[in-house]
Amino acid sequence: MNYQIEAYAQGLNAPIGMVFTENGDMLIADSGLATMNPQVIRISNGSMEVVAEGFNVPVTGINYKNGLIYVSHKGVVTVVNPDGTKQDIINGLPSYGDFSNNRVEFSNDERIYFGQGTATNSGVVGLDNNWIFEHPYFHDYPGSYIILNQSNFETPNTLIPANSPAITGAFSPFGVPNSQQYEMKERRTLASGSVLRANMDGSNLEMVAWGLRNPFCMKFDSLNRLFISNQGMDTRGSRPIANALDELHLFNPGTWYGWPDYSEGVPVTMPRFSPIRGRRPELLFNNIPSIPPMPAAVFPSGSTVMGFDFNTSNDFGLINDIYIACFGRIQHDLSDEYIHSGVGHRIMRINIINGAISTFAINKSGFPEEAGLSRPTDVVFGPDGAMYISDMAIDDVEMPNTYLPNTGVIWRIRKT
């Protein structure tokens, strides 16, 4: 099939997600990463207006139901009413670390589901966590009662002047070791890397699964199955994990999905997960909560999978196939070990029957470019049957992960 891509909206700042209303208007979530002023923007009949602003940075997702706009932003879920007033329905979420709470999804029984990201890359606070200077006592919390092996990690002490290094244990604040051979950590409802569920008004918040590093997006398909996109661990920090793939999972209540000791259903002690530099990963848990499931699909390391949608049009192949935005590597270091070429910066198609993945849309170079698909964050099929893609922005070459205002785009793809 032949397709045509065009810019549907330009001059945005750092769009992270989209949703359509029942009358065909598009609502766009501006993350605030380019301007530090997150916004909700409406496009209606070709005109663009700001609906709401003043959220925490970053906004991570947007959804819409019955006239209400649900905005996920750092630590909070806020409802924007039709008159523009805002109401926080969930707050106090543990989003001070590497990853935040993410986009909410609605179930048929009038509940909201959303993912809560982890504080760290792989369960240990280290020098890769810049947030330790503002939140020195923050760390990951488990979703089950766990017993830890006595695995401690040594780094320079950046919080206080000291000749001795900082010794940090798993699921502990920076500089606090696990002192016992078998140390128990208590279960938390607001666990790191969890799937949370609540009533539509935010009440009765509960944890229904955990063990996902960053469950960025979740959506129900036409068969009422909940799919979750999850970003795999990186080769960084005190406990680097190499070659951990991104995943697409089916939700199963009560499941532990493997983080921080498993990736794609296998333990990180396997040789493929050993970094070129640094120590071979050891298991943090002495007892695992359960056998983690195999994912429905996997993506190359560095893909950074984000928003996705289910195909509803014959123009895009099989109905219910998944199209997912792959943002690309989030660079944390300048060493070659962190550079992944040939992955991300594209839209992938997932065959829902067998889990096979293929590239659907990519710019000619395969890398972020000023004129073309750069850092996609979300995919949504519109009421017109076209595919819409939010593209974050152009990042500053001299300042990685810093995005330039007015360079975000919403792309539209249609069959010719």
Side-chain angles (χ1 to χ4, degrees):
M1 294 183 182
N2 294 320
Y3 297 93
Q4 172 185 326
I5 186 169
E6 60 184 341
Y8 176 75
Q10 300 184 74
L12 301 170
N13 290 315
I16 196 73
M18 308 161 290
V19 66
F20 282 94
T21 67
E22 65 276 342
N23 62 3
D25 292 348
M26 176 186 282
L27 299 171
I28 302 170
D30 168 14
S31 65
L33 293 174
T35 62
M36 296 297 109
N37 179 31
Q39 297 176 327
V40 173
I41 298 167
R42 178 189 287 118
I43 297 179
S44 179
N45 297 321
S47 63
M48 188 181 304
E49 64 172 338
V50 175
V51 176
E53 55 188 347
F55 303 98
N56 297 335
V57 179
V59 165
T60 53
I62 188 171
N63 211 340
Y64 173 89
K65 189 176 179 68
N66 298 331
L68 303 178
I69 304 170
Y70 289 74
V71 181
S72 299
H73 52 120
K74 188 175 182 177
V76 184
V77 177
T78 297
V79 170
V80 180
N81 297 303
D83 61 1
T85 59
K86 298 186 298 182
Q87 178 186 1
D88 296 343
I89 61 170
I90 299 175
N91 52 33
L93 296 169
S95 297
Y96 300 115
D98 284 5
F99 304 107
S100 184
N101 51 295
N102 295 310
R103 174 190 179 275
V104 303
E105 173 68 335
F106 310 117
S107 64
N108 290 338
D109 61 350
E110 298 294 309
R111 301 279 192 92
I112 59 175
Y113 288 75
F114 63 94
Q116 172 64 53
T118 60
T120 66
N121 174 50
S122 60
V124 181
V125 181
L127 301 183
D128 58 321
N129 306 123
N130 295 327
W131 47 263
I132 61 174
F133 299 101
E134 293 185 20
H135 307 284
Y137 302 107
F138 191 63
H139 57 91
D140 287 302
Y141 298 93
S144 307
Y145 283 91
I146 59 172
I147 298 176
L148 296 172
N149 295 317
Q150 193 176 13
S151 297
N152 292 311
F153 300 81
E154 179 179 312
T155 62
N157 197 333
T158 59
L159 289 183
I160 58 174
N163 294 326
S164 58
I167 308 298
T168 305
F171 290 83
S172 295
F174 182 75
V176 177
N178 292 334
S179 57
Q180 302 179 25
Q181 183 175 0
Y182 302 111
E183 187 160 328
M184 177 176 285
K185 297 289 184 178
E186 295 184 356
R187 172 190 184 275
R188 294 287 187 96
T189 297
L190 300 181
S192 303
S194 61
V195 178
L196 299 175
R197 178 174 66 189
N199 295 330
M200 295 294 292
D201 62 359
S203 62
N204 194 30
L205 181 65
E206 58 182 338
M207 184 197 64
V208 290
W210 78 291
L212 296 155
R213 177 173 170 267
N214 189 25
F216 185 81
C217 181
M218 53 186 68
K219 286 186 177 181
F220 285 98
D221 70 358
S222 60
L223 300 178
N224 201 36
R225 298 177 299 178
L226 185 61
F227 285 83
I228 306 167
S229 63
N230 180 51
Q231 299 167 2
M233 291 175 279
D234 290 327
T235 317
R236 64 175 171 94
S238 297
R239 186 174 178 254
I241 310 293
N243 302 311
L245 307 184
D246 287 8
E247 305 164 325
L248 183 77
H249 277 287
L250 265 172
F251 170 70
N252 187 27
T255 296
W256 174 67
Y257 286 90
W259 182 90
D261 277 353
Y262 282 67
S263 176
E264 313 109 62
V266 296
V268 298
T269 50
M270 294 184 66
R272 56 170 277 208
F273 296 109
S274 295
I276 299 173
R277 293 173 288 276
R279 83 197 224 190
R280 180 175 178 176
E282 304 168 4
L283 296 182
L284 300 181
F285 293 177
N286 182 264
N287 63 323
I288 61 174
S290 61
I291 301 298
M294 295 296 293
V298 295
F299 307 84
S301 179
S303 294
T304 313
V305 293
M306 301 191 79
F308 63 89
D309 205 2
F310 302 96
N311 177 33
T312 57
S313 169
N314 291 323
D315 288 349
F316 291 89
L318 294 176
I319 301 298
N320 283 333
D321 272 4
I322 295 174
Y323 288 80
I324 189 166
C326 298
F327 185 87
R329 168 58 63 188
I330 301 173
Q331 190 171 341
H332 294 275
D333 191 275
L334 296 179
S335 66
D336 291 340
E337 192 168 353
Y338 294 87
I339 298 174
H340 291 245
S341 61
V343 299
H345 315 297
R346 67 190 69 195
I347 304 301
M348 301 289 289
R349 175 168 49 201
I350 307 166
N351 185 309
I352 200 59
I353 298 174
N354 58 22
I357 65 170
S358 58
T359 295
F360 172 74
I362 187 172
N363 64 44
K364 292 181 179 180
S365 72
F367 292 92
E369 290 187 342
E370 292 187 15
L373 194 63
S374 179
R375 296 189 178 276
T377 56
D378 198 10
V379 177
V380 173
F381 284 94
D384 58 353
M387 176 190 295
Y388 292 82
I389 302 165
S390 58
D391 197 345
M392 173 76 81
I394 298 171
D395 60 343
D396 191 318
V397 175
E398 297 180 355
M399 301 178 63
N401 304 326
T402 301
Y403 303 97
L404 303 179
N406 304 314
T407 61
V409 181
I410 305 295
W411 302 101
R412 178 167 60 187
I413 297 179
R414 292 184 285 187
K415 182 182 176 183
T416 58

